[in-house]
Amino acid sequence: MAQYENNAYFWQKVDTLFLSSEINLNRKKGDVHPVFKNLIYPTDYGHVTDTKSVTSEGVSVYAGSGDRNKITALVVAADILAKELDVKMLIGCTEQEVDDVLRFLNQTDLQKTVLIRRGNDIPAWSFSDN
């Protein structure tokens, strides 16, 4: 079984995208989701401005209690109801907060996610000729 390779160059680009934008946190930990009243936000939540995503608000971000200038991981969500794939950033999240976000995002059978943890490896295929 093949396993994806975690590419340090990829994370460098994600860091650049993240650190060159601003964060707009519009939901606090413990807030009720505006549409799905049974969902409670496990961390502060918002969007990275000046980025593109499936919504016009930008890439979603879940902000934990740690260093909010550091991306902890990415989450890729497959949403059957919206018929979309969506990438979300986790910043400054502890292991418990990562687990809480994953539980929050996977509460319904209509959406499931995978977690991509940050890595430092540089696979041979990632080098460019330029």
Side-chain angles (χ1 to χ4, degrees):
M1 175 166 93
Q3 192 174 13
Y4 82 93
E5 296 186 51
N6 210 328
N7 186 341
Y9 289 138
F10 167 78
W11 288 104
Q12 180 185 50
K13 301 303 179 221
V14 174
D15 285 341
T16 300
L17 182 136
F18 171 68
L19 294 171
S20 65
S21 299
E22 292 184 27
I23 303 171
N24 177 22
L25 297 175
N26 55 4
R27 304 253 187 325
K28 296 292 183 190
K29 177 180 179 177
D31 282 356
V32 175
H33 191 282
V35 176
F36 304 104
K37 303 300 182 188
N38 61 319
L39 299 178
I40 308 296
Y41 285 92
T43 66
D44 293 347
Y45 169 82
H47 296 89
V48 180
T49 62
D50 300 332
T51 59
K52 295 181 180 180
S53 71
V54 295
T55 69
S56 61
E57 297 175 307
V59 175
S60 296
V61 63
Y62 290 85
S65 59
D67 182 356
R68 291 188 172 180
N69 289 313
K70 183 179 178 196
I71 300 170
T72 308
L74 297 176
V75 171
V76 179
D79 188 326
I80 300 303
L81 187 61
K83 292 189 174 187
E84 66 189 20
L85 292 174
D86 188 18
V87 177
K88 303 164 188 309
M89 290 183 181
L90 278 60
I91 61 170
C93 289
T94 65
E95 283 300 317
Q96 182 60 56
E97 290 167 332
V98 169
D99 188 57
D100 292 345
V101 169
L102 290 173
R103 289 180 189 280
F104 173 77
L105 292 172
N106 286 285
Q107 288 183 55
T108 173
D109 288 337
L110 301 174
Q111 175 177 279
K112 294 300 176 190
T113 66
V114 293
L115 179 71
I116 302 174
R117 291 190 184 275
R118 189 178 190 101
N120 295 317
D121 295 337
I122 302 175
W125 54 260
S126 68
F127 293 102
S128 65
D129 292 336
N130 299 334

